[in-house]
């Protein structure tokens, strides 16, 4: 007889309203260093900095917490950026020679970045200097003239075009071609050769009507734009860059042969062929080009000359260096990644006679380094943000919420002892523009990142700026070859040039076995456990003072003398013996070595019981770190688990063996179809067949048809991998007595539950009893589909997760309900299931793979607070799938609440790196150096809220309205959201809801987050408060080529109309 489950027609409106008050998906901020930077700009008036990337992203930074992000519509590289001083406007040049004008717009007291105008050079036949008209085929350099109302564009053909910046339209009749310049050049210099591309354009520091033009061939021209003639001409060698001295009487040029020249600008009219000074700093042997040079003078005498490149080609041609020269002092800053650009923070007021540089900022491919030029020795300034998360490759991450103030101050103090803060305020961070309007966070959050070099870094993740706090290194406990390499490097640095290592990006690990795989921190006892690639498990404790002490060591054999298994992977790390010096911070107390030394796959810590549990691909162990004795070791290997004996660093894997196993698996899958009905899973197969074949009446609404899921083989490789470990004080033996338990889940769907006998310490006594901890296997559960167990959690009588160690005993959290029946939630890759305790009988479940066709990758229990009522909150299960979707389920009912598209399904590393927080937020890597932060909570959102003091010229108005209804990608990386933002003609946004404000948005203004079935609804927000026509929708849904063409035509037509109005 067929059974049907009837559903109520329609959803409960009260519950739907409650969902809107609890859940909302937002990608809020990108933490870390921009991936693949390509351009740099600085506004000395507003004290803000802009970084452009190869993916077309634009990021503007000011004071900590002041951030703006934009993304060009085309995925093109940003090659140059220029601020219009003091206006909050930014002109960007892409590698397709298109120009884009960005504006920082204020709305409801908060500022955001928007693209206002774009300009695509017209493509014309003919080359610059030919008989045809000059072409803007490729722009090589951009110069903002005067206050930024006009821009000069140097091209590859040698022409200079002029552009009206407010409208981004070419000014006709003002183009300067190379033939006009050649008329002022001596006949013997022409000799039939072209001047080459325009390499540099510099505005005259005293006369805004004059422009300094530098051509690739070496010709330097001071061009008088008003008189349309050349004032001065300098004949040099192949040019790389130019810079004015502040008084305008001297200019400096750098060249491709590694030299720079200083030229005197006097009133003479004849061409100058010899500079005042010409020198090759690292000569006389052939040197690389000096790509950029700056000249800054000081009141105390002795000007600064700062340049990049110029290193001896044969000896140090592979070094990335910036040289700082002042008087007789030369420092060669040696970086570990390629130099993109650099600038100095100095005085730009016209009334000041001297530059007086305060700081030097160098943008590298992997980090940003700022040096204090006013302090002796020019030390590096600690960065409050933009720290390179990937200074060593990130291997794992974890988040700790609600960190107590005492622990926070102790961690900050330990970090300050590692890198002391600047002694004076003059040495502070120089990029201080804007105001952070976000409220001080109510609770402190720590983001922990484990790295390949054995370090764990602590980050302040409470706000928008991800600030480095402290770095823990575990390499000092083991013997490596790094000391010998450091001594050799130090000996080599004593020679000429005077190299000085700068920056913290170091992609090379001394030993890959040091890599951190798992970590856990107890925020109440300041104890943590760090587990690595070679099976090392370290228990550490925070100390405020340096110490010298020995580390207790123990080993746990997880194979339990099982025969037939031989470890073919890497060797264990060799620990140092005897007392070792440890700086203030987390200091190791116990080292537990797993045997075989395979990578640790799971770890958990219970400080109240002084127990640490760890698991590898061979089994799991339990260790009492207070008494320094092993409690339990359990092997989880299957007899066919030969692959588990070959470590990730092993090079002895047999290609023949792997091919043989693959063919066996294929052959077995073909043959097993005939014999499946007789195996132990026959009932499952019959149920799947009934679900697939059953027919239902059309007038009855039934649950969706579930997908057929094949059971996994018991002898699959790596089936013994321990995926999760969990401690809980619950009912396991009977319903009357609760006690400590440990749970372990494996890759083959096995769950082991152990009852623990933990002797309690006497009241008021610091001495621990001599009785040892005992573990007895209480339950063993085998999931039917043998899907890997991702997470385990015990729920109390009220259906809430149990508190952390010491939370209930110290009245820091509500005590769990120990009267009602407990339940255990087991999350596998395919389904969630709640079992009652102590009988372990199934209570409720949700088959995610059967319903949605995806697999679970990450899960976490999170608390979602209501926007409408501060006191109301729900505990839910957040889940990330292999398709990049985030699902939220109620607990313990396991009813689906909402689900969102979060990460691209092709971004495997992003999905693998995701970590959830306890309050409904999450982090995942969008690049090796950036975390994307997202929020599932409608209340708990961390996003930039900032403002900027902008002074536009009186006759200037916002140009943003010229891009009406133009799609703007709101995310620089990750999954882009498309926003249609109509703008009013006064330049201010229409009064609609924008991120960062408290104005509620009408429900019909956005696509429902539940309407995921639509092909265009994934992470797409349509702001429909403006007039959106059918044509607009067609443009949105059409092909990308048609959309780009329509947008370009729209921009050009409106720009022409606005130009007519202005004229």
């Amino acid at each position: 007889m067929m059974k049907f489950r009837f559903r109520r027609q329609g959803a409960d409106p009260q519950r739907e309203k409650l969902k809107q008050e609890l859940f909302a998906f937002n990608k809020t901020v990108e933490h870390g260093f921009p991936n693949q930077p390509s351009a740099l700009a600085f506004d000395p008036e507003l004290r803000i900095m802009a970084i452009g990337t190869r993916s077309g992203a634009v990021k503007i930074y000011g004071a900590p917490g002041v951030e703006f992000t934009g993304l060009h519509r085309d995925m093109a590289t940003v090659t140059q950026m220029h601020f219009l001083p003091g206006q909050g406007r930014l002109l960007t040049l892409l590698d397709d020679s298109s120009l884009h004008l960005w504006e920082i717009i204020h709305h409801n007291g908060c500022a955001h970045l928007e693209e206002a105008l774009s300009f695509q050079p017209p493509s014309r036949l003919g080359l610059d200097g030919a008989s045809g008209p000059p072409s803007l085929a490729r722009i090589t350099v951009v110069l903002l003239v005067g206050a930024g109302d006009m821009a000069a564009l140097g091209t590859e053909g040698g022409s200079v075009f002029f552009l009206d910046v407010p409208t981004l339209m070419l000014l006709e009749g003002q183009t300067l071609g190379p033939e006009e310049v050649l008329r002022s050049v001596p006949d013997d210099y022409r000799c039939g050769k072209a001047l080459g591309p325009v390499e540099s354009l510099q505005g005259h520091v005293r006369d805004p009507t004059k422009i300094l033009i530098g051509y690739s061939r070496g010709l330097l021209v001071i061009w008088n734009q008003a008189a349309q003639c050349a004032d001065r001409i300098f004949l040099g060698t192949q040019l790389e860059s130019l810079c004015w001295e502040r008084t305008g009487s001297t200019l400096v040029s750098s060249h491709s042969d590694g030299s720079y020249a200083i030229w005197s600008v006097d009133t003479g009219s004849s061409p100058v062929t010899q500079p005042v000074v010409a020198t090759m700093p690292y000569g006389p042997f052939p040197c690389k080009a000096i790509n950029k040079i700056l000249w800054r003078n000081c009141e105390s005498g002795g000007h600064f000359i700062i340049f990049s490149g110029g290193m001896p080609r044969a000896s140090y041609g592979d070094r990335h260096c910036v040289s700082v020269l002042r008087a007789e002092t030369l420092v060669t800053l040696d970086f570990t990644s390629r130099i993109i650009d650099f600038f100095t923070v100095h005085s730009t007021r016209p009334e000041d006679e001297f530059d007086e540089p305060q700081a030097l900022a160098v943008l590298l491919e992997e980090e940003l380094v700022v040096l204090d030029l006013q302090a002796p020795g020019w030390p590096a300034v600690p960065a409050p943000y933009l720290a390179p998360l990937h200074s060593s490759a990130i291997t794992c991450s974890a988040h700790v919420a609600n960190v107590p103030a005492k622990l926070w101050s102790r961690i900050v103090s330990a970090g300050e002892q590692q890198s002391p803060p600047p002694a004076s305020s003059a040495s502070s961070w120089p990029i201080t523009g804007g105001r952070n309007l976000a409220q001080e966070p109510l609770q402190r959050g720590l983001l922990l990142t484990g790295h390949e070099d054995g370090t764990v870094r602590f980050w302040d993740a409470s706000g928008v700026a991800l600030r480095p706090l402290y770095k823990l290194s575990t390499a000092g406990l083991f013997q490596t070859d790094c000391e010998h390499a450091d001594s050799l490097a130090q000996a080599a640095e004593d020679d000429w040039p005077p190299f000085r290592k700068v920056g913290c990006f170091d992609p090379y690990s001394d030993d890959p076995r040091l890599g951190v795989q798992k970590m856990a921190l107890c925020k109440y006892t300041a104890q943590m456990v760090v587990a690595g690639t070679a099976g090392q498990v370290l228990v550490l404790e925070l100390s405020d003072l340096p110490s010298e002490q020995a580390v207790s060591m123990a080993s746990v054999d997880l194979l339990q003398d099982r025969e037939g298994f031989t470890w073919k992977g890497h060797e264990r790390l060799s620990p140092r013996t005897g007392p070792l010096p440890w700086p203030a911070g987390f200091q190791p107390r116990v080292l537990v070595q797993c045997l075989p030394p395979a990578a640790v796959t799971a770890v958990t810590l219970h400080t109240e019981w002084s127990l640490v549990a760890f698991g590898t691909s061979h089994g799991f162990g339990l260790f009492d770190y207070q008494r320094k004795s092993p409690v339990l070791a359990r092997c989880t290997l299957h007899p066919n688990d030969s692959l588990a004996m070959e470590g990730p660093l092993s090079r002895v894997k047999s290609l023949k063996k792997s091919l043989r196993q693959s063919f066996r698996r294929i052959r077995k899958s073909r043959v097993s179809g005939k014999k499946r009905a007789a195996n132990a899973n026959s009932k499952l197969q019959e149920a799947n067949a009934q679900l697939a074949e059953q027919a239902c009446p059309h007038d009855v609404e039934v649950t969706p048809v579930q997908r057929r899921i094949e059971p996994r083989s018991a002898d699959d490789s790596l089936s013994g991998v321990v995926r999760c470990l969990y401690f809980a004080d619950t009912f396991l033996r009977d319903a009357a007595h609760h006690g400590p338990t440990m749970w372990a889940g494996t890759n083959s769907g096995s769950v082991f539950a152990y009852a623990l006998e933990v002797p309690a310490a006497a009241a008021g006594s610091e001495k621990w009893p001599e009785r040892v901890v005992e573990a007895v296997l209480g339950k063993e559960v085998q999931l039917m589909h043998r899907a890997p167990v991702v997470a385990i959690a015990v729920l109390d009588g009220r259906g809430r997760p149990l508190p952390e160690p010491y939370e209930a005993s110290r009245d820091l959290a509500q005590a769990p309900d120990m009267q009602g029946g407990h339940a255990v939630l087991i999350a596998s890759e395919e389904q969630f299931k709640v079992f009652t305790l102590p009988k372990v009988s199934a209570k409720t479940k949700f088959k995610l793979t059967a319903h949605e066709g995806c697999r679970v990758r990450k899960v976490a229990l999170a608390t979602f607070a209501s926007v409408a009522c501060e006191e109301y909150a729900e505990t839910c299960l957040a889940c990330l799938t292999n398709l990049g979707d985030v699902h939220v389920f109620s607990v313990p009912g396991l009813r689906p609440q909402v689900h969102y598209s979060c990460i691209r399904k092709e971004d495997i590393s992003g999905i693998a790196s995701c970590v959830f927080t306890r309050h409904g937020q999450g982090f995942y890597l969008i690049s090796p150096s950036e975390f994307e932060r997202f929020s599932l909570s409608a209340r708990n959102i961390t996003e930039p809220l900032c403002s900027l003091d902008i002074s536009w010229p009186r006759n200037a108005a916002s140009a943003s309205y010229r891009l009406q209804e133009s799609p703007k990608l709101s995310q620089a990386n990750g999954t882009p959201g498309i926003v249609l933002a109509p703008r009013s003609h006064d330049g201010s946004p229409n009064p609609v809801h924008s991120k960062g404000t408290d104005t509620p948005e009408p429900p019909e203004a956005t696509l429902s987050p539940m309407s995921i079935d639509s092909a265009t609804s994934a992470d797409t927000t349509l702001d429909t408060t403006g007039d959106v026509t059918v044509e607009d929708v067609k443009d949105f849904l059409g092909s990308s080529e048609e959309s780009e063409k329509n947008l370009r035509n729209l921009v050009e037509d409106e720009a022409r109309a606005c130009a007519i109005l202005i004229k």
Side-chain angles (χ1 to χ4, degrees), residues 202 212 241-245 250-253 293-296:
Q202 299 290 331
L212 173 61
S241 72
L242 290 170
C243 181
W244 280 104
E245 187 265 338
T250 307
L251 62 91
V252 59
S253 61
I293 192 166
L294 297 178
W295 175 305
R296 302 288 182 253

Side-chain angles (χ1 to χ4, degrees), residues 819-1053:
Q819 302 299 324
H822 282 200
V824 59
L825 168 63
I826 299 178
S828 73
E829 281 193 358
E830 296 178 358
Q831 66 180 8
F832 310 116
K833 205 164 188 178
V834 175
F835 298 88
T836 60
L837 290 176
K839 292 183 178 181
V840 193
S841 58
K843 185 178 180 181
T844 181
K845 63 182 177 181
F846 183 85
K847 296 181 179 181
L848 184 69
T849 304
H851 288 291
E852 305 292 340
C854 53
R855 296 191 183 275
V856 178
R857 286 291 176 259
K858 303 281 183 177
V859 294
L861 288 167
T863 302
F864 293 87
S866 171
V867 174
C869 177
E870 295 184 10
E871 298 179 355
Y872 183 78
E874 290 185 8
T875 299
C876 298
L877 180 71
C879 156
L880 175 70
T881 71
N882 63 327
L883 301 182
D885 298 332
V886 175
H887 299 249
V888 179
F889 299 88
S890 64
V891 173
L894 295 182
R895 295 185 180 89
Q897 301 300 304
V898 291
H899 69 282
Y900 309 100
S901 179
C902 180
I903 311 174
R904 292 180 300 107
K905 64 181 180 181
E906 299 84 9
D907 188 3
I908 300 175
S909 61
I911 294 173
S913 65
C914 181
V915 56
F916 289 105
T917 74
R918 289 183 60 182
H919 299 288
Q921 295 194 38
F923 302 83
Y924 68 93
L925 287 173
I926 52 177
S927 71
S929 60
E930 286 176 293
F931 272 111
E932 175 83 68
R933 187 174 193 144
F934 64 91
S935 176
L936 303 173
S937 171
R939 183 181 185 87
N940 187 22
I941 301 177
T942 303
E943 60 184 348
L945 296 175
C946 48
S947 66
L948 199 64
D949 295 328
I950 298 173
S951 58
W952 284 352
R954 184 171 298 177
N955 59 348
S958 171
S960 299
Y961 65 88
R962 298 185 184 95
L963 277 187
Q964 290 183 15
E965 300 160 0
S966 63
K968 171 180 165 292
L969 297 177
S970 61
Q971 297 292 335
N973 285 301
T975 308
I978 301 177
V979 180
L980 301 182
R983 306 196 57 79
S984 59
H985 284 266
D986 62 355
S988 61
N990 284 337
V992 298
H993 175 79
S994 64
K995 192 194 298 184
T997 67
D998 294 327
T999 307
E1001 188 174 2
E1004 64 273 13
T1006 59
L1007 290 177
S1008 169
M1010 292 300 295
S1011 60
I1012 306 295
D1013 296 334
S1014 172
T1016 60
S1017 65
D1019 195 22
T1020 306
T1021 303
L1022 295 179
D1023 191 346
T1024 57
T1025 49
D1027 296 328
V1028 180
T1029 63
V1030 177
E1031 286 73 16
D1032 296 329
V1033 178
K1034 287 181 179 179
D1035 288 344
F1036 177 65
L1037 296 176
S1039 65
S1040 58
E1041 294 181 359
E1042 292 177 354
S1043 301
E1044 292 175 2
K1045 183 178 179 181
N1046 293 337
L1047 287 169
R1048 196 172 292 117
N1049 293 338
L1050 178 66
V1051 172
E1052 291 176 358
D1053 293 341

Side-chain angles (χ1 to χ4, degrees), residues 706-735:
Q706 300 177 9
R707 291 169 174 81
R708 181 178 307 194
I709 303 171
E710 297 293 338
R712 306 190 186 200
S713 173
D715 58 353
D716 280 347
S717 297
L718 299 178
S719 62
V721 175
V722 178
R723 294 290 296 270
C724 61
L725 293 162
Y726 179 70
F727 285 117
D729 183 359
T730 186
F731 301 89
L732 187 62
R733 292 176 174 173
D734 55 61

